[in-house]
Amino acid sequence: MDARDDMLKRLRDRREGYSLDRPFYVDADFYKLDLELIWYRDWLFAGHDCELPKAGSYMTLQVGDYPVVIVRDRQGGIRAFHNACRHRGSRVCTQHKGTAARLVCPYHQWTYELDGRLLFARQMGPDFDPSGFGLKPIACESVAGYIFICLADQPADFAPFRAAMEPYFAPHRLTEAKIAYESTIIEKGNWKLVWENNRECYHCAGNHPELCKTFPEAPVATGVQSAESDPEILAHWEACEAEGLPARFRIDPDGQFRTTRTPLLGDAVSYTIEGTEAVNRLLSDTVTAKNIGALLLYHYPGTWNHVLTDHAVTFRVLPLSANETAVTTKWLVHKDAVEGVDYDLERLIHVWTETNDQDRRIVEENAFGIRSPAYQPGPYSPVHEGAVMQFVDWYARFAQDRLTEGAAPALRSVA
């Protein structure tokens, strides 16, 4: 049985409310199918508008086998391209971030305009037509300070996500923020284990002492259970709405993304040990109320987010192999906030730096146990792990539907 047939059979036979079979978390062929069925087809969070402050600013990332470059063009727009020269395929931009008047391949100096057009290719002969050799574009969208890309030839409609997300996030003006700090950690576990761990706080009390000082463990805070039945959550939503801020739990019909506002514990207003603000200058001049808690956004398979009045913390997930996942965390503050004056960097990042490292250890121990041939799928807690079940159901449904389409997804060629 080949990997596609094996995966499809296991998805059809899987037991509801239980973790997945071992190959989904450890098998290299299943990982390749995840790339084809999910990562090469869905919209992925790439970064923030504020990371590209002027024409020629660029950032790079790697999605499976695809190197990507995202650049701000001369008209102020944001574009994404396959980061592969149309000459012999070398990467054009080799740094994580940078600024360039034009994009120049370091191999033979083929030179591209910021809109992807090939401007210069030396000594290619009189019959060479540069118009047919621009950088290959990738679908790219920007919304409320977030940049998303999609590698598919025919991306899913981005409009439903924009309509759901923008009213919640636009008031925080992340387009006018800056990155105060960025870190990337490699978790030695499958990307689905990273997400499963993120989608519950069943583990928080025993593993996250810093986060638990401000963030609630209650399943209604981050799960998919009906929060309308929780009077504290309902009162919080009403208080936020009184400030003109959308707050209620909203989920995509397909389960791929959702957003809500959740209260922090007690009088806490930010993710610090004391619960007080980490940044004196607020993110937005129009969002000044201190009782709005955390604005949460989850978008499978690539990002979860926490936005507060004083700063935002965003997370990007990228798979590296069947057993390795890169998690990039960015702390955003007002563009004019000054380190050492408006905020202390160590205090700003402490809670999530510690939490990330704790989660890394959790995922790695989880992966270590699943690699044992003795592993069998176990039951999720219906009380605490409803959101984990929702994630697994989303993954299983998307993968199964695409496996039964009868053909591999069409992707833009890099060659």
Side-chain angles (χ1 to χ4, degrees):
M1 183 183 298
D2 68 14
R4 296 180 74 88
D5 290 340
D6 188 16
M7 176 181 279
L8 184 58
K9 182 179 186 305
R10 290 177 185 273
L11 288 171
R12 286 172 170 166
D13 294 344
R14 77 183 185 93
R15 188 173 180 180
E16 294 286 340
Y18 277 64
S19 57
L20 296 166
D21 287 349
R22 183 170 173 263
F24 287 98
Y25 301 116
V26 303
D27 187 84
D29 289 332
F30 275 41
Y31 167 73
K32 291 177 182 177
L33 285 172
D34 278 357
L35 293 179
E36 293 177 14
L37 300 170
I38 304 291
W39 291 90
Y40 295 165
R41 293 188 62 164
D42 288 296
W43 286 99
L44 308 175
F45 168 59
H48 295 283
D49 298 47
C50 66
E51 298 179 75
L52 306 175
K54 59 184 180 180
S57 297
Y58 69 84
M59 68 177 80
T60 62
L61 66 153
Q62 185 79 23
V63 183
D65 292 331
Y66 289 83
V68 176
V69 59
I70 303 168
V71 62
R72 191 177 289 277
D73 65 24
R74 299 193 191 282
Q75 289 69 47
I78 297 175
R79 299 171 180 259
F81 301 99
H82 288 286
N83 189 13
C85 183
R86 295 297 306 283
H87 177 212
R88 287 168 57 189
S90 178
R91 280 197 305 170
V92 176
C93 297
T94 59
Q95 301 301 310
H96 174 46
K97 293 181 182 179
T99 303
R102 294 180 175 86
L103 306 182
V104 181
C105 178
Y107 198 178
H108 301 96
Q109 292 73 57
W110 279 36
T111 301
Y112 300 88
E113 183 53 277
L114 302 180
D115 61 8
R117 289 179 295 123
L118 179 62
L119 295 177
F120 173 72
R122 61 189 175 90
Q123 299 179 352
M124 289 300 294
D127 297 329
F128 178 72
D129 180 6
S131 66
F133 294 91
L135 292 175
K136 294 205 168 190
I138 293 170
C140 182
E141 295 280 355
S142 175
V143 54
Y146 285 71
I147 301 168
F148 282 78
I149 62 169
C150 183
L151 291 163
D153 274 331
Q154 297 180 326
D157 186 5
F158 191 76
F161 175 68
R162 181 185 296 278
M165 180 266 204
E166 194 164 28
Y168 286 77
F169 282 77
H172 294 277
R173 298 169 70 172
L174 294 181
T175 53
E176 301 173 32
K178 68 177 180 181
I179 307 297
Y181 190 74
E182 174 181 341
S183 75
T184 296
I185 60 174
I186 308 302
E187 301 188 12
K188 295 180 180 179
N190 188 272
W191 68 274
K192 295 186 290 296
L193 293 181
V194 173
W195 266 109
E196 289 191 38
N197 177 64
N198 171 266
R199 296 312 308 117
E200 47 90 357
C201 219
Y202 194 21
H203 71 280
C204 289
N207 294 277
H208 296 320
E210 294 83 5
L211 183 63
C212 284
K213 292 183 181 296
T214 56
F215 190 75
E217 299 174 68
V220 291
T222 58
V224 292
Q225 293 89 335
S226 177
E228 286 85 352
S229 62
D230 186 304
E232 182 182 0
I233 298 286
L234 190 59
H236 180 71
W237 289 347
E238 292 172 349
C240 290
E241 290 167 349
E243 297 288 338
L245 299 172
R248 294 175 189 268
F249 179 85
R250 181 171 180 177
I251 189 167
D252 164 47
D254 287 332
Q256 187 162 31
F257 56 84
R258 61 186 176 276
T259 188
T260 190
R261 294 186 192 270
T262 191
L264 299 183
L265 294 176
D267 296 327
V269 297
S270 191
Y271 293 133
T272 59
I273 295 299
E274 307 85 2
T276 55
E277 291 169 345
V279 186
N280 294 331
R281 180 146 193 177
L282 301 184
L283 270 174
S284 170
D285 297 336
T286 60
V287 182
T288 58
K290 294 186 177 182
N291 64 341
I292 64 170
L295 171 58
L296 308 181
L297 169 71
Y298 306 91
H299 188 293
Y300 303 145
T303 186
W304 65 84
N305 302 261
H306 296 248
V307 180
L308 310 162
T309 55
D310 63 330
H311 73 282
V313 191
T314 69
F315 303 82
R316 185 184 69 197
V317 178
L318 285 174
L320 302 179
S321 71
N323 297 291
E324 286 188 317
T325 306
V327 178
T328 297
T329 308
K330 297 177 183 180
W331 286 259
L332 287 78
V333 300
H334 191 282
K335 64 182 176 61
D336 295 327
V338 178
E339 182 183 348
V341 177
D342 296 304
Y343 63 94
D344 175 80
L345 184 60
E346 174 57 31
R347 185 166 178 268
L348 172 68
I349 69 174
H350 177 71
V351 168
W352 277 108
T353 298
E354 294 299 311
T355 303
N356 284 347
D357 191 56
Q358 293 151 4
D359 281 331
R360 176 191 59 78
R361 295 197 298 270
I362 290 168
V363 168
E364 291 179 357
E365 289 299 327
N366 195 183
F368 199 91
I370 288 176
R371 284 194 291 271
S372 167
Y375 162 81
Q376 289 181 323
Y380 296 119
S381 163
V383 177
H384 288 279
E385 295 175 305
V388 183
M389 288 187 273
Q390 189 273 334
F391 164 73
V392 173
D393 287 344
W394 167 83
Y395 165 78
R397 185 173 65 257
F398 269 47
Q400 183 170 327
D401 288 349
R402 291 167 180 180
L403 281 167
T404 55
E405 287 173 351
L411 303 175
R412 288 186 173 91
S413 172
V414 203

